[in-house]
């Protein structure tokens, strides 16, 4: 029989509050305190897109991520709206992640705005202090609010963080986990989406407590190995490990050109300049990249993004330049570009990787 040992390490899960919208409040302080959403479409077509996120003022009206923007405007007439600028949010994210990594713990980046840090075995009070200091430092250094969940196990720490939103901090100690979970809806478990929730509900399991009292073999029959994991989690056993990730997710540069143009040869000097800047950042970090992305903002302020995955990791300026030029050229369609951006991502540490070309 395999005995499942739960983690004793304390995991600190940090997730930024209303991240894209909070980044926008940073550079548009006049929007602070007003209901505001960030969405996929440009301002002129704002009724056509989807809400990516919104601040907590907008959430009071029922506006939320994934909702058609048209519905958001129906719920909140005075909603302020901004088009999403993912290069900018990635840049802010990169800086926050770099700071968190500098704390020296094993760290897994979970998404653009969240990370899990393995604090190791330490007294609960010490962990709470680490979390308080981290939260305060993130607010002070970046001007952004965050929420932290602490627990033993990656899933429990994330669930604690969800519970403490927004601007909160909670610790769920090992002996409190089962109680913390028992009345929660099954979909609160990370990874349980609408389909799994439906399957569980059909099995008459609607709370995590229900899962903990169910038959493990039935869960496995219905959901495979995830069923087994759900059973263990529901019973307070989280065996997940932090996978140390590279901190920098992408390096990008973008700039508005002196004059809008649809001629790739006129855009070329700007491409060379952006490529050189990206390469300089990349050189400092000593990373190889495998994905190249470009962005074009046209005269009418619409934007297009296109990326290409290479077959191998590289740090070649020539490869970055030629691909960026090709990609940007393919996005012009005779339209005039006003602003362009170049981005590299999907990194590998140069010290660990043999150079391939
Ligand atoms: P989340 O962390 O899920 O949400 P949030 O940071 O906006 O709000 P909070 O954590 O306070 O509840 O997602 C992080 C960012 O990811 C979010 O700011 C925008 C983006 N995102 C989307 O683009 N589409 C989505 O459906 C979701 C959920 C998020
Ligand atoms: Mg968030
Ligand atoms: Mg998040």
């Amino acid at each position: 029989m395999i005995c499942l040992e739960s983690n004793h390490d304390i995991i600190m899960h940090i997730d930024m509050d209303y991240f894209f919208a909070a980044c926008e409040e940073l550079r548009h302080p006049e929007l602070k305190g007003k209901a505001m959403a960030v969405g996929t479409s440009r301002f002129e077509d704002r009724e056509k897109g989807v809400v990516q996120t919104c601040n907590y003022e907008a959430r009071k009206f029922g506006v939320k991520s994934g909702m058609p923007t048209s519905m958001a405007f129906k719920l909140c007439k005075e909603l302020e709206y901004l088009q999403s600028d993912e290069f900018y949010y990635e840049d802010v994210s990169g800086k926050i992640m770099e700071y968190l990594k500098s704390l020296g713990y094993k760290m897994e980046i979970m998404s653009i705005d969240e990370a899990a840090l393995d604090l190791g075995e330490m007294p609960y009070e010490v962990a709470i202090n680490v979390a308080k200091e981290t939260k305060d430092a993130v607010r002070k250094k970046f001007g952004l609010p965050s929420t932290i969940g602490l627990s033993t196990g990656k899933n429990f720490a994330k669930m604690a963080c969800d519970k403490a939103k927004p601007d909160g901090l909670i610790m769920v100690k090992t002996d409190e986990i089962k109680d913390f979970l028992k009345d929660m809806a099954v979909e609160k478990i990370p990874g349980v989406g609408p389909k799994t929730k439906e399957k569980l509900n059909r099995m008459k399991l609607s709370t995590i407590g229900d899962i903990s009292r169910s038959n493990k073999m039935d869960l496995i029959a219905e959901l495979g190995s995830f069923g087994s994991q759900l059973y263990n989690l529901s019973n307070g056993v989280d065996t997940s490990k932090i996978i140390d990730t590279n901190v920098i997710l992408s390096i990008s540069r973008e700039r508005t050109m002196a004059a809008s143009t649809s001629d790739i040869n006129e855009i070329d000097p700007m491409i060379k300049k952006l490529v050189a800047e990206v390469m300089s950042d990349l050189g400092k970090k000593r990373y190889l990249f495998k994905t190249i992305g470009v962005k074009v903002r046209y005269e009418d302020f619409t934007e297009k993004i296109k990326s290409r995955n290479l077959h191998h990791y590289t740090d070649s300026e020539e490869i970055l330049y030629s691909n960026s030029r090709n990609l940007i050229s393919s996005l012009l369609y005779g339209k005039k570009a006003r602003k362009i951006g170049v981005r590299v991502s999907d990194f590998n540490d140069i010290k660990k990787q043999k150079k391939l070309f």
Side-chain angles (χ1 to χ4, degrees), residues 15-20 52-53 56 59 65 113 165:
D15 185 296
M16 304 305 294
D17 296 337
Y18 64 101
F19 184 55
F20 290 6
Q52 286 181 283
T53 195
Y56 280 78
R59 291 185 200 197
S65 299
D113 83 330
K165 284 263 163 198

Side-chain angles (χ1 to χ4, degrees), residues 184-198:
M184 280 190 188
V186 291
E187 63 269 27
K188 298 284 180 190
I189 301 177
V192 175
K195 278 193 191 140
T196 313
K197 169 188 153 69
E198 207 188 297

Side-chain angles (χ1 to χ4, degrees), residues 315-334:
D315 62 352
S316 156
E317 180 158 353
E318 181 49 37
I319 288 172
L320 177 57
Y321 163 70
S322 58
N323 278 283
S324 301
R325 186 183 153 110
N326 283 340
L327 287 168
I328 288 172
S329 175
S330 76
L331 287 179
L332 290 175
Y333 324 103

Side-chain angles (χ1 to χ4, degrees), residues 178 181-182 186 189 205 207-216 219 230-236:
K178 278 201 77 169
L181 299 174
K182 72 178 188 336
V186 291
I189 301 177
L205 309 173
T207 66
I208 301 178
D210 294 339
I211 302 180
S212 74
R213 290 181 297 270
S214 70
N215 183 305
K216 190 173 184 179
L219 282 169
L230 286 181
Y231 182 85
N232 294 335
L233 287 173
S234 307
N235 282 289

Side-chain angles (χ1 to χ4, degrees), residues 13-16 19 110-114 158 162 165:
H13 186 102
I14 177 164
D15 185 296
M16 304 305 294
F19 184 55
M110 314 293 287
S111 80
I112 190 163
D113 83 330
E114 65 201 274
K158 181 174 169 63
D162 288 346
K165 284 263 163 198

Side-chain angles (χ1 to χ4, degrees), residues 133-320:
E133 279 166 17
T134 306
K135 194 170 141 55
D136 289 348
V138 166
R139 160 97 64 182
K140 212 163 159 197
K141 282 181 190 301
F142 307 103
L144 291 168
S146 63
T147 296
I148 294 185
L150 293 160
S151 191
T152 41
K154 212 159 77 172
N155 293 285
F156 302 144
K158 181 174 169 63
M159 292 165 84
C161 178
D162 288 346
K163 182 100 181 173
K165 284 263 163 198
D167 201 15
L169 192 172
I170 59 171
M171 153 77 83
V172 181
K173 297 177 186 165
T174 307
D175 60 359
E176 298 166 349
I177 290 172
K178 278 201 77 169
D179 210 42
F180 170 72
L181 299 174
K182 72 178 188 336
D183 296 326
M184 280 190 188
V186 291
E187 63 269 27
K188 298 284 180 190
I189 301 177
V192 175
K195 278 193 191 140
T196 313
K197 169 188 153 69
E198 207 188 297
K199 278 187 187 168
L200 291 166
N201 290 169
R202 255 191 275 125
M203 295 169 78
K204 303 246 174 325
L205 309 173
S206 56
T207 66
I208 301 178
D210 294 339
I211 302 180
S212 74
R213 290 181 297 270
S214 70
N215 183 305
K216 190 173 184 179
M217 294 322 284
D218 290 348
L219 282 169
I220 295 173
E222 195 64 39
L223 298 160
S225 62
F226 190 47
S228 159
Q229 202 186 324
L230 286 181
Y231 182 85
N232 294 335
L233 287 173
S234 307
N235 282 289
V237 178
D238 186 350
T239 53
S240 57
K241 293 265 178 294
I242 298 281
I243 302 156
D244 220 4
T245 12
N246 243 337
V247 175
I248 316 294
L249 297 178
S250 71
I251 295 173
S252 64
R253 283 287 187 286
E254 59 180 23
R255 207 157 305 149
T256 306
M257 289 177 293
S260 301
T261 173
S262 58
D263 181 349
I264 187 70
N265 293 318
E266 284 178 24
I267 300 173
D268 194 70
M270 182 61 93
I271 301 176
K272 286 204 171 104
K273 200 167 168 175
L274 297 176
V275 162
E277 289 182 16
V278 167
M279 287 305 299
S280 155
D281 256 23
L282 196 72
K284 281 182 215 143
K285 310 262 189 268
R286 299 176 37 88
Y287 283 161
L288 299 168
F289 58 88
K290 211 164 102 170
T291 302
I292 295 171
V294 300
K295 175 164 99 173
V296 174
R297 178 176 280 195
Y298 306 100
E299 264 193 322
D300 62 2
F301 289 92
T302 55
E303 279 185 7
K304 278 237 153 60
I305 289 174
K306 197 167 178 184
S307 65
R308 178 175 291 166
N309 294 311
L310 306 173
H311 294 297
H312 303 290
Y313 286 100
T314 183
D315 62 352
S316 156
E317 180 158 353
E318 181 49 37
I319 288 172
L320 177 57

